[in-house]
Amino acid sequence: MTGVASKVAVIGSGISGAVCASILAKNGVSVTIFESGRGPGGRMSQRRERSKDGRELFFDHGAPCFTVSASNLEVQSLVNDWESRGLVAEWKEKFGSFDFSSKKFVNIEEEGSNKRYVGVPGMNSICRALCHEPGIETRFGLAIGRLDWLDDYDTWSLKSLDGQDVGHFKGVVASDKNTFSSRFTNVAGKPPPIDLISVSDTTLQMNEIPALPCFALMLAFEQPLSSIPTKGFSFKNSKVLSWAYCDSSKPGRSNASERWVLHSTAEYAELIISQTGFQKPSSAVLTKVAEELFQEFQSTGLDISQPFFKKAHRWGSAFPAANIAGEEKCLWVGKRRLAICGDFCVTPNVEGAICSGIAAAAKFVNLLSTL
């Protein structure tokens, strides 16, 4: 293969980037994924922790599960394939809502009434498998510090954070928001690696994406919380908690302990950030957050025992509150062979991210078909 898109860099190994890379590789494109983290998944990553007594604990502390719209046959086809490979399974449990005003559960669904999927044995299992498919090289622990379009060579030049040259590519897929928008970076004032002003007219769109922060609380209990009639529920009329789910109730998980994950409201997270700043939160801040989220959980009036493990994690501006790509489902700069994809392009959930990854891959595949 010569010319356009014979070698493509995918920045970010979340579900949109991983799906895009998988489709490109299946179409004969040589793909290199660059991921700043130690492993794949983004908000579908799985957290490994140890309790004080040395027990190993795993938590899906980002996206707990995902659904697929009935009309979205393309995504459903992918999910069916992943299910046949043992990468996902249906999470068949009861879900509902808890109203803080009445201190009662409301809107409890029948078990399995809505199809919810989870990765097995962790939410990151899908991304991990896709990142290691034939035709894909994955470089973990390598953050991209700069991307430059070289007119003379008709290629992209990528450099790491410390300035090392990591390769030249005919095309780039940016699925990590930190690559192109300083709004999403955890380091205040740090410019994004790619200057969209020089390659497109999408800068204004990117800078206007509203993004919501969130704190996650990971809990492990010796005994099941039997007073809770569901395995996942949202909170109504709480300024602190948005939802909770029993992570250990998912298929393929260890049931040696009962593990729950709680997510804060954006309102609460923004309050904490306004008090402490956007830099990486200190241990003292995370301890304070963990106590406040757990106290709100206990204030439901349910019989909630003391956990043997309790730890908070902050998701900075990870949750987009709008989509910017409309029906295109990704942003495409054809003259520079640059695709920008992610849930912020479609809908802020796993299904939206998958759709955007499919759309980004299609742009390159369509370009190849014209050569």
Side-chain angles (χ1 to χ4, degrees):
M1 186 186 301
T2 59
V4 178
S6 58
K7 189 177 181 186
V8 171
V10 175
I11 303 173
S13 66
I15 190 66
S16 61
V19 164
C20 182
S22 173
I23 295 172
L24 290 177
K26 284 180 170 65
N27 281 274
V29 178
S30 175
V31 180
T32 302
I33 297 176
F34 294 95
E35 169 57 54
S36 60
R38 291 174 294 178
R43 292 200 313 279
M44 289 178 71
S45 60
Q46 187 181 61
R47 184 84 168 234
R48 181 173 66 180
E49 298 285 352
R50 282 198 180 276
S51 61
K52 289 181 179 179
D53 59 5
R55 279 181 278 184
E56 191 174 52
L57 303 167
F58 292 92
F59 298 91
D60 292 330
H61 63 317
C65 60
F66 66 96
T67 59
V68 180
S69 304
S71 60
N72 204 335
L73 301 181
E74 197 168 23
V75 172
Q76 189 63 60
S77 177
L78 271 183
V79 173
N80 290 344
D81 175 60
W82 298 339
E83 193 170 17
S84 70
R85 294 164 60 183
L87 301 177
V88 305
E90 195 178 339
W91 189 13
K92 299 178 180 179
E93 294 287 354
K94 287 184 179 180
F95 296 83
S97 297
F98 182 86
D99 187 352
F100 260 92
S101 297
S102 64
K103 301 292 185 183
K104 292 181 179 179
F105 279 93
V106 294
N107 303 324
I108 296 179
E109 304 172 4
E110 288 300 317
E111 186 173 315
S113 59
N114 290 308
K115 277 196 172 184
R116 292 177 174 87
Y117 296 97
V118 298
V120 179
M123 285 298 287
N124 64 346
S125 300
I126 306 165
C127 297
R128 188 177 301 280
L130 297 180
C131 287
H132 290 93
E133 288 183 336
I136 300 175
E137 176 190 2
T138 308
R139 302 183 67 177
F140 293 114
L142 199 162
I144 297 300
R146 187 171 177 84
L147 296 92
D148 292 300
W149 174 257
L150 306 179
D151 274 315
D152 291 345
Y153 298 95
D154 196 37
T155 61
W156 286 96
S157 170
L158 274 63
K159 289 183 171 60
S160 63
L161 277 179
D162 60 4
Q164 295 296 312
D165 188 353
V166 296
H168 291 72
F169 298 85
K170 285 293 185 180
V172 168
V173 177
S175 68
D176 182 344
K177 305 179 200 68
N178 292 342
T179 306
F180 46 79
S181 176
S182 58
R183 174 184 288 274
F184 294 99
T185 185
N186 284 334
V187 182
K190 175 186 172 184
I194 185 172
D195 178 13
L196 286 181
I197 294 176
S198 65
V199 297
S200 75
D201 57 1
T202 60
T203 306
L204 183 61
Q205 290 176 282
M206 302 310 302
N207 287 336
E208 289 180 343
I209 304 173
L212 303 175
C214 172
F215 282 95
L217 177 61
M218 297 166 280
L219 300 168
F221 300 89
E222 296 286 5
Q223 300 296 327
L225 302 183
S226 55
S227 65
I228 300 178
T230 69
K231 296 302 183 184
F233 57 96
S234 61
F235 291 95
K236 293 184 175 182
N237 300 310
S238 171
K239 293 183 178 180
V240 178
L241 290 176
S242 61
W243 44 265
Y245 57 91
C246 180
D247 208 42
S248 53
S249 71
K250 298 175 182 177
R253 272 61 171 181
S254 166
N255 57 6
S257 62
E258 180 152 298
R259 298 177 303 285
W260 283 77
V261 176
L262 316 181
H263 272 209
S264 78
T265 61
E267 178 185 7
Y268 171 83
E270 286 167 349
L271 175 63
I272 298 298
I273 290 172
S274 71
Q275 296 170 348
T276 62
F278 201 71
Q279 69 274 11
K280 183 178 179 180
S282 65
S283 296
V285 168
L286 290 176
T287 298
K288 173 179 178 288
V289 167
E291 289 300 328
E292 290 179 351
L293 295 182
F294 184 65
Q295 285 175 13
E296 184 78 351
F297 193 32
Q298 283 192 311
S299 72
T300 56
L302 301 165
D303 184 13
I304 298 172
S305 58
Q306 283 295 322
F308 68 85
F309 178 86
K310 177 170 55 182
K311 187 173 183 178
H313 169 82
R314 189 190 73 187
W315 294 103
S317 294
F319 298 91
N323 84 78
I324 61 169
E327 293 182 1
E328 290 295 310
K329 300 180 182 177
C330 72
L331 297 179
W332 173 244
V333 185
K335 63 181 180 180
R336 295 291 187 264
R337 298 187 291 280
L338 168 67
I340 294 174
C341 65
D343 56 0
F344 53 88
C345 287
V346 186
T347 52
N349 54 34
V350 174
E351 182 183 9
I354 295 172
C355 286
S356 190
I358 292 172
K363 295 294 186 182
F364 282 99
V365 173
N366 291 339
L367 197 61
L368 283 171
S369 67
T370 65
L371 295 180

